[in-house]
Structure formats: C-alpha cells, structure tokens
C-alpha cells in the first residue's frame, strides 16, 4: 500500500491536471490507481480529508448525495447538465451582493453560499 503522503501528492496532482469540478472519491481513486500507486478507497478518502482541512481542495455541492471535490481557488458557482451531468463554472458570482441582504434580514454573519444552476449543456441542448 502506498504511503499516505504519496497518495496525497497523487490526488493533488490529479486535481491540478484538470479543470473538473466534480471529482468523486471513486474517480480520484481510479486516477491514483492509474498512476501505478496502490491505494484503497479509505486511503484516498483520508488523503482528500487531509487536503480539504488544509484548504487545498473544496467540497462541491451538486444537488445529489455524492460528495465531490475540486481544486480550491477563487469562489465560483456551477451549472450542471440534467442530461449528461457535465459541470461548468460560471464566470461571475451572482450572489455576492445578496449576502449583504441575507445578513440584514437574518442577523447571520454569512460565510459563503452554494448555488447550482441546472439545464442542458451545449452538446445536449
Ligand atoms: Zn468549480
Ligand atoms: Zn457565488
């Protein structure tokens, strides 16, 4: 079994090598195995948690029960295709100004939001 630091490096390299927004643990494990490292689900799961705690990767909420991840970076929101599941990012955040209204209306200190549009991607529409 590969060392934890090697699994973490491999997971990180995978995320950095693509602009996908919807990596599941299973996808990451498959990618790690392709590089020739032996890593079971739980070692990939631990690597993902380690990277998330350090702010290297972010969890992405896509409206289903599976947890997905992407490389952490500038905040952006997502749109997902109802037909094929392709996920893209929006160029600008539409909700930055709404956060002020949420704070005014609720007294909460807003720390973030999750917004997901759905529709048909250019290939499916
Ligand atoms: Zn994203
Ligand atoms: Zn946003």
């Amino acid at each position: 079994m590969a060392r934890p630091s090697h699994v973490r490096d491999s997971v990180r390299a995978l995320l950095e090598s693509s602009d996908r927004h919807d990596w599941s643990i299973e996808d990451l494990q498959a990618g790690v195995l392709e590089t020739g490292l032996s890593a079971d689900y739980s070692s990939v799961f631990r690597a993902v948690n380690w990277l998330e705690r350090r702010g290297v990767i972010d969890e992405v909420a896509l409206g289903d029960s599976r947890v997905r991840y992407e490389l952490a970076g500038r905040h952006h929101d997502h749109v997902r295709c109802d037909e094929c599941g392709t996920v893209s990012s929006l160029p600008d955040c539409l909700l930055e100004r709404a956060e002020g209204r949420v704070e005014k209306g609720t007294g909460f200190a807003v720390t973030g939001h999750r917004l997901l549009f759905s529709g048909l991607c250019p290939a499916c529409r």
Side-chain angles (χ1 to χ4, degrees):
M1 192 66 64
R3 283 209 243 153
S5 62
H6 291 170
V7 178
R8 292 195 294 258
D9 289 348
S10 179
V11 166
R12 186 181 192 148
L14 270 176
L15 282 146
E16 284 172 349
S17 71
S18 101
D19 59 357
R20 271 184 68 177
H21 305 266
D22 61 344
W23 288 94
S24 66
I25 305 261
E26 289 85 354
D27 295 336
L28 290 167
Q29 186 194 1
V32 169
L33 291 174
E34 262 176 39
T35 70
L37 280 183
S38 61
D40 58 15
Y41 181 91
S42 60
S43 64
V44 174
F45 181 85
R46 283 194 298 274
V48 163
N49 277 295
W50 190 94
L51 292 165
E52 192 185 10
R53 280 199 305 275
R54 279 155 188 82
V56 177
I57 63 177
D58 278 335
E59 196 181 315
V60 184
L62 293 178
D64 58 20
S65 58
R66 290 177 92 191
V67 186
R68 323 270 184 154
Y69 297 91
E70 66 181 352
L71 205 59
R74 208 170 66 84
H75 165 77
H76 59 269
D77 299 302
H78 295 108
V79 58
R80 185 186 205 191
C81 179
D82 293 331
E83 201 64 36
C84 70
T86 291
V87 177
S88 294
S89 58
L90 277 56
D92 303 300
C93 176
L94 306 170
L95 285 181
E96 252 153 37
R97 281 188 302 154
E99 289 187 348
R101 294 178 59 182
V102 172
E103 295 202 335
K104 258 197 193 129
T106 64
F108 276 61
V110 173
T111 55
H113 60 259
R114 288 171 173 179
L115 174 67
L116 177 67
F117 285 90
S118 52
L120 292 174
C121 73
C124 291
R125 67 184 293 174

